[in-house]
Amino acid sequence: MVLLLLALLPVFLAAWYLMTQVPATPVIGNLKRQQAEHPSVLLTSDGQELAVYRKTNRQWVPLEGISPHVLAALLAVEDQRFYEHRGLDLRRTVAAAWNTFQGRLQGGSTITQQLARNLYPEEIGRAPTLERKVKEAITALKIERAYGKDEILEIYLNTVPFLYNTYGIEMAARTYFDKNARDLDVLESATLVGMLKGTTYYNPVLNPQRAQQRRNIVLAQLARHGKLEQAQLDQLRGQPLQLNFERQDEQPGPAPHLAVLMRRWLIDWADRNGRNVYADGLVVRTTIDSRAQAMAQAALSAQTERLQKLADTTWNGRQGWNARRDLVDAFLRETQQFQAARTAGMSDVEALAKLRSDATFMQALRADKTRLQAGLVAMEPGTGYVRAWVGSRDFSQDQFDHVQQARRQPGSTFKPFVYGAAFALGARPSDQLIDQPIDIPDGQGRIWRPTDAGQPTGEPMALRDALALSRNTITAQLMQYVGAPKVAQLAQAMGVRDSRLEEVPSIGLGTSLVTLREMAAAYATIANAGQYVAPALVLQVEDRSGKVLEAFRPAAPEPALDPAANAVLLDALRAAIDRGTGAPIRSRYRLQGELAGKTGTTQENTDGWFILAHPRLVTGAWVGFNDSRITMQDPWGQGARSALPMVGEFMQGLVKAKLVDPKAKFPKAPEPPLQQDAGAGWGTLFPPPPELLEPPAPAATVPSMPLPAEYGVNVGGGTLGFPSQPAIVVAPPRAGGPPPEVLALPPQRAIVVAPPRGELSGAGPAQLLPTPGSAGPGY
């Protein structure tokens, strides 16, 4: 009895061990659920497909839809007694263990065990341990209890991986032989089945010799089991692989950058609503219009192709790539190849020389760095609905989204926030500042001197004209009056809500980094009577049967700029289109009706911008290189010549297709107060004509004194004053000339643009007159 118990002890221990492992194995659910999985679909507002969201690149086919050659090859090589065992082949397992013990490694897993391992890699694992083999065996037994043999074969052949994001025999047949699984011949079937021993090692694309040798082993097994005649085997062994390889990557679709963004959004939505993006067949209807999207892509592609030819000429010339040795060396030091060379022990000079000697590498580097990029987005101002979204020239070459991800300096397209803030404070478009040089301390002991393409005229210029003609000197002067905090605050209220804005004097000329989407949203606010409406991309989400799961409405408008001030700003931006830097919209593209907009160009033509506001659609475009150290050239690098044409062509197409109404009107501006219409060149920013003011209270006169430096900022020959006490600063007039312009700040603040020094009559000092009813220091 004792001997019997000792003999049975290993059996009891093995049984006990198996019982402890059962709870650790996966629960077998519906393995054919993947057959019934329905991917989610992204549609345009007019019902056209934008993208299909699949978890894997797979198409399920029934067993009868698979070539019998595949089934014969699979059983001959992987599991000859598949229809005889119940998940475990004990004879094969023992033989495999004995061969492995003798040093000849051999696998003993059945097709069912392989299926268990493929479907539950996390629960079972892949490490060559006893625990893994036990879990695999138990799971295989569970699968055999739940499914018939043909079902197991069907599931296996539809889930097995074949590299290149390809799953299942159907997609493998299309990828490697450009045919359906039912049409595979014996050679093709043997090649694909042969890959299952090690898809990477027997990859027929990268390792054709190994793949052919493995294929021939499969053919030999077929002959051994009576599925091939010896003569057929001898004839087939010498045949080449005859691949017709083409990766079955998902097509990017007409709006690929948007599709990537929407995939993330949909996954989050599905998680919150208990849905499965890859199985439930959700239908997402977006705000994108398929016709507008196609026109936007065409306009962007056509313009960037024209510009790329100019860029290639520039960078291939004498002053181009070869002449910029320091810049090219900087590019080289940033490459992985350079880092690898340094890690291998090369010096900096040796590593650079090695890379420069590689002509193919250098050509690829130059092509990458000097490839021009662009983005375009169009949205409705009243609803925020985005109608077109083009993130780059070619998604296959550049997945970086220049609408949503790229942050670039907006240049002069940012100026409307300066003028909008000034108009909100009471400035009028007819108010004037002198077009003259300006020195602005940056607070760190340095002087900032904004300049324009042309020389300052030295003459007064109305604010409306300064914005239309994009005069930097006037904008910089106005910035001193408005203040950077107010400009940043207005920009954020109008739509620049994600980017960090630097509250420095140069912010008014567009030096803070922003996205194209933000800028288009801000201009949409201007077109919408100063009301910000958040951009929207989704109309509704439906289930597979068409039931609406959630509908989305436009966001509630948020007041951003006083309607009266916004009307003044909009009118000034109209002037930019009618006779300013945006004039080609009228003259070249013949666009009629109410339009407003602004061009933008950053330093050394690094970025080109143009944003056009139509009453029903606002379109923004950006052009530049991904690396801001690469710049465009005059004159084609300016926003009016780089970004404007793609917007012009886009709008032309929309008008021709009657997608926008050229007779549409911007929202009617509110009636301004009488005071603003009672004279020329004055408003709450400027002192009104005396006859319209009630007699002021007597003001105490301050003794004449020179204006201290801390009272103002030197503006060429004049001064923009910010007295520590509320005052109107009056400078002596020029001999025989008009008095200086006085800019009164509410509440009763004032600044002055004094005439240039050397033209003053006499040597009289400036005088400070305390302002009646002052509210004390502000800003």
Side-chain angles (χ1 to χ4, degrees):
M1 178 64 70
V2 174
L3 293 176
L4 178 61
L5 290 176
L6 289 174
L8 293 176
L9 181 61
V11 177
F12 291 140
L13 291 175
W16 173 81
Y17 179 73
L18 289 174
M19 293 299 295
T20 62
Q21 291 299 312
V22 169
T25 59
V27 176
I28 304 303
N30 183 5
L31 298 186
K32 297 185 73 174
R33 174 181 171 82
Q34 296 179 71
Q35 175 185 8
E37 284 183 352
H38 296 278
S40 295
V41 181
L42 192 70
L43 301 178
T44 63
S45 60
D46 51 332
Q48 300 301 305
E49 185 179 289
L50 286 174
V52 178
Y53 298 134
R54 296 184 178 90
K55 188 173 185 179
T56 55
N57 191 17
R58 171 188 20 241
Q59 181 167 327
W60 197 283
V61 289
L63 197 62
E64 56 268 23
I66 301 173
S67 168
H69 297 300
V70 172
L71 302 178
L74 179 65
L75 295 178
V77 175
E78 296 295 333
D79 198 345
Q80 301 154 20
R81 285 179 290 277
F82 175 72
Y83 282 97
E84 300 172 15
H85 62 68
R86 299 301 301 169
L88 301 179
D89 188 343
L90 296 180
R91 287 169 54 187
R92 187 176 181 185
T93 301
V94 171
W98 177 251
N99 286 323
T100 301
F101 177 75
Q102 291 183 321
R104 300 189 301 272
L105 186 64
Q106 179 180 331
S109 296
T110 64
I111 287 176
T112 313
Q113 287 176 280
Q114 293 178 43
L115 177 61
R117 189 166 62 237
N118 290 339
L119 293 182
Y120 303 105
E122 294 183 4
E123 295 91 335
I124 295 176
R126 293 189 179 276
T129 62
L130 176 62
E131 180 182 357
R132 192 267 289 178
K133 294 297 294 184
V134 170
K135 288 182 179 180
E136 182 183 288
I138 295 173
T139 306
L141 292 173
K142 288 182 176 181
I143 293 174
E144 289 275 349
R145 289 185 60 186
Y147 294 95
K149 289 294 186 179
D150 286 350
E151 288 180 302
I152 292 172
L153 274 181
E154 180 180 314
I155 296 169
Y156 177 86
L157 285 170
N158 278 286
T159 56
V160 66
F162 282 95
L163 297 178
Y164 303 108
N165 193 35
T166 296
Y167 290 80
I169 191 66
E170 176 67 19
M171 297 310 296
R174 296 184 191 181
T175 299
Y176 294 98
F177 299 106
D178 193 26
K179 58 174 59 176
N180 294 323
R182 63 162 52 92
D183 300 322
L184 292 169
D185 62 26
V186 64
L187 280 175
E188 295 160 346
S189 298
T191 300
L192 294 179
V193 170
M195 290 179 64
L196 300 180
K197 184 176 178 64
T199 51
T200 300
Y201 189 80
Y202 295 110
N203 182 346
V205 177
L206 300 180
N207 304 307
Q209 186 174 0
R210 291 179 193 164
Q212 185 171 353
Q213 291 172 351
R214 177 63 182 167
R215 181 203 67 182
N216 289 343
I217 292 175
V218 176
L219 293 174
Q221 286 294 98
L222 284 170
R224 178 183 176 187
H225 293 281
K227 301 299 182 180
L228 278 181
E229 298 293 337
Q230 184 62 43
Q232 288 179 294
L233 175 62
D234 294 338
Q235 188 268 331
L236 292 174
R237 276 176 170 169
Q239 295 294 320
L241 290 176
Q242 295 181 333
L243 296 179
N244 190 359
F245 178 76
E246 182 177 354
R247 294 188 62 158
Q248 301 295 306
D249 293 334
E250 292 185 20
Q251 295 301 312
H257 295 87
L258 178 68
V260 171
L261 179 67
M262 289 305 303
R263 183 194 287 266
R264 293 195 294 267
W265 179 89
L266 184 57
I267 289 173
D268 180 66
W269 183 92
D271 288 344
R272 287 186 283 106
N273 290 274
R275 300 281 176 167
N276 188 318
V277 172
Y278 305 111
D280 290 349
L282 300 174
V283 177
V284 182
R285 297 189 183 274
T286 70
T287 60
I288 297 295
D289 184 282
S290 64
R291 298 157 296 179
Q293 181 68 24
M295 293 176 192
Q297 182 66 67
L300 184 144
S301 297
Q303 173 63 0
T304 50
E305 285 177 10
R306 290 189 290 263
L307 295 177
Q308 187 66 59
K309 293 178 181 178
L310 298 173
D312 290 343
T313 299
T314 298
W315 286 97
N316 290 338
R318 292 183 178 180
Q319 301 302 315
W321 185 263
N322 293 332
R324 305 287 297 276
R325 189 175 185 87
D326 290 344
L327 179 60
V328 174
D329 284 349
F331 293 155
L332 290 172
R333 290 187 178 97
E334 294 167 2
T335 64
Q336 294 180 353
Q337 291 85 343
F338 177 85
Q339 298 300 326
R342 291 303 308 274
T343 302
M346 289 187 182
S347 68
D348 182 88
V349 174
E350 291 171 335
L352 290 175
K354 179 179 182 296
L355 295 180
R356 282 186 172 277
S357 66
D358 187 338
T360 302
F361 171 79
M362 292 298 295
Q363 184 177 4
L365 179 65
R366 180 169 66 174
D368 176 65
K369 288 295 184 180
T370 61
R371 179 174 173 79
L372 204 66
Q373 278 301 340
L376 186 149
V377 66
M379 63 183 66
E380 294 181 359
T383 63
Y385 288 169
V386 176
R387 295 306 191 182
W389 183 303
V390 184
S392 73
R393 292 175 64 185
D394 186 343
F395 182 80
S396 65
Q397 292 185 324
D398 193 345
Q399 290 82 47
F400 191 63
D401 190 348
H402 297 86
V403 172
Q404 173 82 3
Q405 293 177 298
R407 282 185 163 80
R408 307 289 292 223
Q409 292 183 337
S412 293
T413 57
F414 204 85
K415 288 177 180 176
F417 305 128
V418 179
Y419 289 81
F423 295 146
L425 293 174
R428 290 170 52 95
S430 56
D431 291 343
Q432 298 179 341
L433 290 171
I434 305 298
D435 180 19
Q436 60 186 350
I438 176 173
D439 293 349
I440 300 177
D442 65 357
Q444 299 179 356
R446 296 170 298 187
I447 298 296
W448 175 52
R449 296 184 179 89
T451 59
D452 291 290
Q455 293 298 315
T457 63
E459 300 296 326
M461 180 176 288
L463 300 185
R464 179 196 295 109
D465 297 334
L467 181 56
L469 300 175
S470 202
R471 300 299 292 183
N472 292 337
T473 55
I474 300 294
T475 305
Q477 293 178 58
L478 196 60
M479 268 294 304
Q480 295 302 292
Y481 161 59
V482 174
K486 276 188 166 49
V487 173
Q489 181 181 2
L490 179 61
Q492 290 164 348
M494 295 180 77
V496 185
R497 300 193 168 193
D498 297 326
S499 299
R500 181 173 177 270
L501 300 177
E502 297 285 345
E503 295 181 0
V504 295
S506 61
I507 186 177
L509 301 188
T511 56
S512 288
L513 303 179
V514 298
T515 66
L516 177 58
R517 180 190 61 79
E518 290 175 307
M519 292 299 294
Y523 275 65
T525 300
I526 299 172
N528 193 40
Q531 301 283 310
Y532 169 76
V533 177
L537 290 169
V538 183
L539 295 174
Q540 62 188 39
V541 180
E542 306 167 6
D543 67 12
R544 187 160 49 94
S545 64
K547 178 184 177 182
V548 177
L549 301 177
E550 186 172 1
F552 299 87
R553 297 290 177 260
E558 303 175 30
L561 181 60
D562 176 76
N566 187 83
V568 177
L569 175 60
L570 180 63
D571 185 63
L573 289 173
R574 280 193 183 102
I577 298 299
D578 293 339
R579 55 186 175 80
T581 56
I585 285 294
R586 300 287 195 196
S587 61
R588 179 178 176 183
Y589 296 99
R590 304 295 181 183
L591 295 175
Q592 304 299 317
E594 293 198 9
L595 298 169
K598 188 74 186 71
T599 59
T601 308
T602 59
Q603 191 171 6
E604 297 183 1
N605 298 313
T606 303
D607 307 271
W609 293 73
F610 181 65
I611 306 177
L612 180 68
H614 175 277
R616 298 292 180 267
L617 194 73
V618 170
T619 304
W622 167 88
V623 179
F625 297 96
N626 281 339
D627 194 316
S628 60
R629 291 169 292 184
I630 301 286
T631 60
M632 297 177 285
Q633 302 298 309
D634 281 326
W636 61 269
Q638 299 168 5
R641 301 196 182 193
S642 57
L644 184 148
M646 68 179 66
V647 176
E649 292 181 17
F650 173 61
M651 284 297 294
Q652 269 187 334
L654 294 178
V655 172
K656 185 176 181 180
K658 298 183 179 179
L659 293 178
V660 295
D661 182 6
K663 297 181 180 179
K665 305 291 184 182
F666 287 112
K668 187 177 180 181
E671 293 295 329
L674 175 63
Q675 175 179 309
Q676 289 191 317
D677 284 336
W682 61 270
T684 57
L685 187 70
F686 287 82
E691 62 271 17
L692 293 181
L693 290 178
E694 294 183 4
T701 301
V702 178
S704 297
M705 68 182 75
L707 185 63
E710 62 268 19
Y711 274 69
V713 178
N714 188 25
V715 186
T719 300
L720 284 171
F722 289 90
S724 58
Q725 297 299 322
I728 296 176
V729 182
V730 183
R734 286 182 289 183
E741 298 284 356
V742 177
L743 303 160
L745 285 68
Q748 290 78 44
R749 283 280 194 161
I751 60 176
V752 63
V753 179
R757 295 175 183 173
E759 296 186 9
L760 299 177
S761 57
Q767 298 208 0
L768 301 181
L769 302 178
T771 305
S774 168
Y779 293 94

